[in-house]
Amino acid sequence: MKLLTRREPDHARTDVGEPEADYAGGWSTGAQANASTLIRWTAWILLFCGPVIATVAYVSAAAPAPAAQPKSAASTGTSAGSQGAAGFATLYLDAFLRAGDGDGGKLAAYYPAAAQLRLEGQSGRRHGEQLTVVRLRQSERDVWSVTVAARISEANPAPTPSPDAARRDVKAEARAASAEVVHYFQIPIATAPAEAGATGYIALGLPAEVGAPTRIEAPKLVYGPSHPALPSDPRTLAATEFLRAYLTQAGPLDRYLSPGTRLTPIVPTPYTGLAVDQIAVEGEAGEAAVTAVPGDGTRLRVLVELRGTGHDGIRVPLSYALSLTARAGRWEIASLDAAPARSAPPSVAPSS
């Protein structure tokens, strides 16, 4: 008897093969082993590095964040441009004194409003000599008041024929007298930042002629009264030998200097000889003759007046403030002082 079997259609039959021995859940057994090794090493690394990571995290959290530093804006101090203002004012005054008819444009470079001025007189009829800044003060922020001193000379006009040749030229004498007078002009100068970090200047008005600066009373000095410099006085001897080497190169200068003092003689030599006339000694009240030298290390300040003979034979008066130091039975020059030493102001007793 023949058994009939039912045939499944091809599209309904699915062949499911046996899984291969080296695959499990979509991973090969080799990949699974590698992953296990990686996880194991990662665990060991975290175990050893865990304390370090925790410490870094703690320090980072505890450290305050750096405060943002504000950008410093470029600023000019209140005293910026003082030297430039002084130089600008000097140039301005020189042009002002030389200016005449038609020179307003030249002054406009310093003071723009001067372009509209109607100036009189011939250009260059007078000019300033020995222009010097004698006062510089800040009247307000970025504005400087500069006082410039000048001697004013006038050009001599062409002589005019005169029937009376012996008549005195009054105008010429007046001009000569005026040239000896020192004039003072006060000039306001404004400053402001310019390109490339420079400072710009501009005048705020025309020069104003003012009076001479107030003369102050001379301060008291530490020296006693001046008296004739005696050759037997070791202080006079030390000062004379030093100044002769310094001004005339009569012998080596170092032999008159105390250890550690550095000075060089003047080159070329301005004088051919000198004579010390007067000497004033610190703390000395009388004129008693002194012939002894105190112990080593004693310091003393003196003010010396002398006459230096120039190469033309003319003797010129000079004065030098010197500090002396005693060593090995003689005085040596410790320093050529920048200025005579002032006496200390008297102390004021506190009120009870």
Side-chain angles (χ1 to χ4, degrees):
M1 182 174 192
K2 187 177 181 179
L3 296 177
L4 298 177
T5 59
R6 185 177 178 182
R7 182 182 176 88
E8 293 291 333
D10 293 340
H11 66 275
R13 186 175 58 189
T14 303
D15 295 332
V16 179
E18 292 291 325
E20 296 181 6
D22 58 348
Y23 274 83
W27 288 70
S28 68
T29 54
Q32 186 177 13
N34 292 337
S36 300
T37 302
L38 179 61
I39 293 173
R40 185 169 60 253
W41 279 105
T42 302
W44 280 106
I45 292 173
L46 292 176
L47 179 63
F48 284 107
C49 296
V52 177
I53 296 174
T55 302
V56 172
Y58 174 78
V59 172
S60 300
Q69 298 294 333
K71 295 183 179 180
S72 58
S75 60
T76 57
T78 57
S79 61
S82 59
Q83 292 183 346
F88 188 84
T90 303
L91 294 174
Y92 177 31
L93 180 61
D94 181 67
F96 173 79
L97 294 176
R98 296 176 182 271
D101 186 15
D103 288 338
K106 296 179 181 179
L107 296 181
Y110 305 94
Y111 176 49
Q116 309 301 324
L117 288 177
R118 296 183 59 182
L119 301 173
E120 299 181 358
Q122 182 181 0
S123 177
R125 77 187 188 282
R126 63 176 187 167
H127 63 277
E129 296 179 352
Q130 302 175 347
L131 275 68
T132 305
V133 174
V134 297
R135 187 182 184 189
L136 179 64
R137 64 185 180 91
Q138 195 170 20
S139 59
E140 57 183 278
R141 181 176 177 83
D142 300 328
V143 177
W144 293 89
S145 176
V146 186
T147 303
V148 183
R151 297 184 187 273
I152 301 177
S153 297
E154 295 189 13
N156 294 325
T160 56
S162 173
D164 187 5
R167 186 176 56 186
R168 295 193 312 168
D169 190 344
V170 178
K171 292 184 178 180
E173 292 181 359
R175 286 194 299 268
S178 177
E180 298 300 323
V181 176
V182 179
H183 300 259
Y184 299 88
F185 295 87
Q186 182 174 282
I187 306 169
I189 303 295
T191 67
E195 297 179 356
T199 303
Y201 306 92
I202 197 72
L204 299 181
L206 293 168
E209 188 157 2
V210 295
T214 303
R215 180 177 299 179
I216 65 172
E217 183 179 354
K220 293 184 177 181
L221 304 179
V222 300
Y223 316 97
S226 294
H227 57 81
L230 302 177
S232 59
D233 190 329
R235 301 165 302 186
T236 299
L237 180 63
T240 302
E241 291 179 338
F242 161 72
L243 291 170
R244 185 172 288 126
Y246 182 67
L247 297 173
T248 70
Q249 295 191 23
L253 185 63
D254 293 343
R255 67 182 298 181
Y256 307 112
L257 304 179
S258 61
T261 302
R262 297 289 182 267
L263 288 172
T264 56
I266 301 176
V267 178
T269 55
Y271 304 100
T272 60
L274 61 86
V276 174
D277 297 326
Q278 300 282 324
I279 186 170
V281 182
E282 177 182 7
E284 190 174 73
E287 299 182 8
V290 176
T291 58
V293 178
D296 290 2
T298 304
R299 293 181 65 90
L300 190 66
R301 290 176 289 191
V302 298
L303 187 62
V304 179
E305 297 180 2
L306 59 91
R307 288 169 295 148
T309 304
H311 294 277
D312 56 0
I314 303 300
R315 292 186 297 180
V316 180
L318 305 168
S319 64
Y320 288 85
L322 304 174
S323 293
L324 310 180
T325 301
R327 187 173 74 95
R330 72 188 189 110
W331 288 104
E332 297 176 332
I333 306 303
S335 66
L336 174 58
D337 300 336
R342 299 176 56 175
S343 298
S347 58
V348 179
S351 57
S352 57

